[in-house]
Amino acid sequence: MEEERAMTRNDTPYLSDRSFVEAVRAIQADHPAAAAVHQEMCLLYTGRVLADLLRGRRG
């Protein structure tokens, strides 16, 4: 079983960019199901960014 790589500070800009891209795709999606998937991905990426920022403030 492969261990998931820990997120580093350098991942934050990437995750933020991915969140933005997914938000745009959700808005532009022609099908409601596709929009929902992109919105969920946006929220997941945003959550990872926020978690990283909170860890950085505590550490």
Side-chain angles (χ1 to χ4, degrees):
M1 183 177 197
E2 230 176 274
E3 204 173 302
E4 184 177 334
R5 182 180 68 83
M7 187 167 67
T8 66
R9 254 311 185 198
N10 295 336
D11 291 330
T12 304
Y14 168 77
L15 294 171
S16 181
D17 288 343
R18 291 295 305 146
S19 177
F20 178 81
V21 168
E22 293 299 335
V24 170
R25 288 179 179 170
I27 293 166
Q28 294 176 342
D30 293 330
H31 194 278
V37 170
H38 288 297
Q39 182 179 15
E40 182 177 0
M41 292 301 297
C42 171
L43 294 172
L44 290 170
Y45 282 122
T46 300
R48 299 244 347 234
V49 170
L50 292 173
D52 184 42
L53 293 173
L54 288 173
R55 273 194 299 270
R57 289 185 186 143
R58 282 188 274 171

